[in-house]
Amino acid sequence: MKNVVVVGSQWGDEGKGKIVDWLSSLADVVVRFQGGHNAGHTLVIDGKTYKLKLLPSGIVRKDKISVIGNGVVVDPWALLEEINSIEKLGVTVNSDNLILSESATLILPFHKEMDEIREDTAGKAKIGTTRRGIGPAYEDKVGRRSIRVMDLRSENNLNQRLDTVLMHHNAIRKGLGKKVYEKNKLKNELMMIADKVLKFAKPTWKILDNYKNLGKKILFEGAQGILLDVDHGTYPFVTSSNTVAASASIGSGCGPDSLGYILGITKAYTTRVGEGPFPTELTNDIGALLGRRGNEFGTVTNRQRRCGWFDSVLVKQTCKISGINGIALTKLDVLDELEEIKICIQYELNGKKIDYFPTAVEDQIKVKPVYKTLKGWKTSTKGLRENEKLPQNAQRYIKEIEGLIGVKIASISTSPEREDTILIENPFDN
């Protein structure tokens, strides 16, 4: 029985919430290993909608352990607010079913302010962040000056750590003509919530090792998508963490031998939120139709997503980089009304055909997609749960994608409801 890592194979928003929810029903432990409250998952269970940002998807299920790993950056106020919100929906959250890594980095108010300052002054060079302080918090982590969950245990230690981090931030704020950040008020605010946060704090690496030794099934839940990876994505229009499957090991404290089946969640077309290159983007009526039928608005920001044709070059590349074993294809039903459907099969750059997405952003902007056109199926696939019941043209489309990306399709999603899934291969059984 393998553990399973779930990652998004595009720019995020691939529909991971539904797939992770289904897998969490089979798992014993669900682990978030990177990102922060900038990435959300929407779960629809028995007609009730849960919108999660920091909490792992397993939290909505009884008898499941949810873990927020060391690779996550945590806004403590946002975490407590999310816990309060989900408890109002009837979900129990306590120190038995939610575990927070004591070494996770905290997002503090000055991180959020720095995020906003940079975006507002960047002009055309803005990244399109969610303005939640994710990037500045990761910068402090790498700069060895961050405040971590464990620092809340000692007021004296917290005082010293705040001196260190604010010396850095206030120097920048002064240079930008902004008011310096006062330490004592922030320290008092943190001490007021310290006990509420610390009751969840534990050495998660040790606990996960124990679960592994007991043969528990662990689901590693990624946020965002591989094309937003700080190393392998469309840099600089990326997030500030590694979103590839390998980071499940680093961001949880589990060795690489703990990772088993890598499942890539892949939308049947392509979307992107924010700025950055997007070779197959459609700014016409078809793009609008995809956005409307797919309800393409961000869970966290409610920003409208840019929509385009499926890009097999990008997905094949992310599958290679992340070692994806199988694909969960989502939102197939969004394409039901189209007469023709196009798939990008390669690019043209400066008059030459290429079969990969170049690294330089100026080349990423210049590449032109080369398409293969397939016939649409013009009939509803919504809610179908058997592969044989899919229209022939839909089956051809799926086979075409599978052949182009070189990875088998493990499941097909035909609506937001968890049960509306065509299961071809169970990741936990492989």
Side-chain angles (χ1 to χ4, degrees):
M1 193 72 74
K2 289 183 177 179
N3 299 323
V4 175
V5 183
V6 171
V7 290
S9 71
Q10 294 155 307
W11 276 293
D13 309 308
E14 299 95 348
K16 291 186 290 296
K18 168 186 169 175
I19 305 300
V20 168
D21 170 55
W22 169 67
L23 288 170
S24 69
S25 69
L26 307 176
D28 300 302
V29 185
V30 184
V31 184
R32 269 286 305 272
F33 57 85
Q34 52 78 217
H37 64 310
N38 58 332
H41 287 168
T42 300
L43 314 180
V44 181
I45 305 171
D46 298 327
K48 186 179 288 188
T49 300
Y50 304 90
K51 293 191 175 184
L52 305 178
K53 303 178 185 70
L54 270 172
L55 294 173
S57 297
I59 200 69
V60 301
R61 299 195 166 276
K62 292 181 180 179
D63 304 320
K64 308 294 180 183
I65 306 298
S66 292
V67 176
I68 299 175
N70 55 276
V72 180
V73 285
V74 179
D75 181 323
W77 293 278
L79 175 62
L80 295 175
E81 182 182 345
E82 188 172 340
I83 291 172
N84 181 60
S85 295
I86 201 164
E87 285 180 331
K88 290 179 179 178
L89 293 173
V91 177
T92 299
V93 182
N94 54 42
S95 57
D96 292 325
N97 68 347
L98 177 64
I99 302 170
L100 170 64
S101 172
E102 58 187 7
S103 56
T105 290
L106 295 180
I107 300 174
L108 300 175
F110 53 80
H111 292 130
K112 183 173 181 291
E113 289 184 16
M114 185 56 66
D115 216 351
E116 293 171 344
I117 290 168
R118 286 176 176 169
E119 282 291 278
D120 289 340
T121 57
K124 292 183 179 179
K126 68 178 180 178
I127 302 299
T129 76
T130 56
R131 297 170 176 256
R132 280 166 166 74
I134 310 298
Y138 272 118
E139 288 178 40
D140 282 346
K141 175 181 178 177
V142 175
R144 295 166 292 186
R145 55 181 173 265
S146 66
I147 310 296
R148 302 197 288 176
V149 171
M150 66 181 71
D151 293 322
L152 298 178
R153 290 187 178 132
S154 164
E155 184 173 352
N156 182 57
N157 181 61
L158 179 61
N159 193 62
Q160 295 177 29
R161 299 298 301 157
L162 283 170
D163 281 338
T164 299
V165 71
L166 285 176
M167 180 174 65
H168 171 82
H169 278 270
N170 281 337
I172 297 174
R173 293 170 74 99
K174 286 179 183 177
L176 293 171
K178 304 295 181 180
K179 185 180 178 181
V180 298
Y181 208 92
E182 295 294 334
K183 180 187 75 173
N184 289 333
K185 182 175 181 292
L186 175 57
K187 184 184 73 172
N188 292 336
E189 289 173 347
L190 283 168
M191 292 309 300
M192 285 177 64
I193 64 168
D195 289 343
K196 295 179 181 179
V197 174
L198 288 171
K199 72 178 183 179
F200 301 107
K202 295 174 185 176
T204 49
W205 69 269
K206 193 172 188 302
I207 292 168
L208 287 171
D209 184 62
N210 184 50
Y211 286 142
K212 189 172 71 169
N213 292 334
L214 291 171
K216 300 288 188 182
K217 289 179 284 186
I218 303 173
L219 175 64
F220 297 92
E221 174 186 5
Q224 299 147 308
I226 297 169
L227 290 169
L228 293 175
D229 185 280
V230 69
D231 287 302
H232 300 289
T234 48
Y235 190 92
F237 303 99
V238 293
T239 193
S240 298
S241 62
N242 288 110
T243 60
V244 294
S247 61
S249 175
I250 299 168
S252 66
C254 292
D257 63 330
S258 302
L259 311 184
Y261 191 101
I262 313 299
L263 181 67
I265 315 301
T266 307
K267 197 176 287 185
Y269 49 102
T270 311
T271 63
R272 175 165 202 172
V273 171
E275 311 300 320
F278 186 169
T280 65
E281 182 174 12
L282 296 169
T283 56
N284 55 14
D285 290 344
I286 295 176
L289 180 143
L290 294 175
R292 184 174 66 256
R293 286 184 55 81
N295 192 29
E296 296 297 351
F297 296 90
T299 299
V300 173
T301 62
N302 203 38
R303 287 187 294 179
Q304 187 168 355
R305 298 175 188 138
R306 300 151 64 190
C307 298
W309 295 121
F310 187 86
D311 191 330
S312 70
V313 181
L314 283 178
V315 175
K316 182 178 181 179
Q317 189 162 319
T318 59
C319 286
K320 297 289 186 185
I321 290 168
S322 213
I324 289 173
N325 302 114
I327 290 294
L329 191 69
T330 64
K331 292 198 169 185
L332 181 70
D333 57 300
V334 173
L335 304 176
D336 286 349
E337 293 184 2
L338 296 174
E339 292 277 358
E340 292 184 335
I341 302 172
K342 295 183 179 181
I343 300 177
C344 174
I345 58 172
Q346 60 183 169
Y347 299 133
E348 185 178 291
L349 177 62
N350 299 325
K352 295 181 179 180
K353 299 289 178 60
I354 59 172
D355 61 356
Y356 68 97
F357 198 47
T359 303
V361 68
E362 58 263 37
D363 289 337
Q364 293 176 352
I365 293 170
K366 287 193 296 184
V367 294
K368 297 178 180 179
V370 177
Y371 289 116
K372 180 173 184 177
T373 302
L374 287 80
K375 289 183 179 179
W377 43 93
K378 293 290 289 180
T379 187
S380 177
T381 61
K382 188 170 184 178
L384 294 184
R385 301 179 186 180
E386 296 176 35
N387 198 40
E388 295 75 18
K389 291 187 177 180
L390 288 173
Q392 285 297 313
N393 285 349
Q395 293 185 42
R396 290 191 189 101
Y397 181 70
I398 292 163
K399 284 295 181 185
E400 190 72 33
I401 287 175
E402 194 174 52
L404 286 166
I405 65 176
V407 177
K408 56 191 170 186
I409 305 296
S411 65
I412 303 162
S413 173
T414 57
S415 94
E417 292 292 337
R418 183 167 61 90
E419 293 79 10
D420 293 339
T421 302
I422 298 169
L423 180 62
I424 299 168
E425 179 176 275
N426 186 336
F428 276 117
D429 291 339
N430 288 273

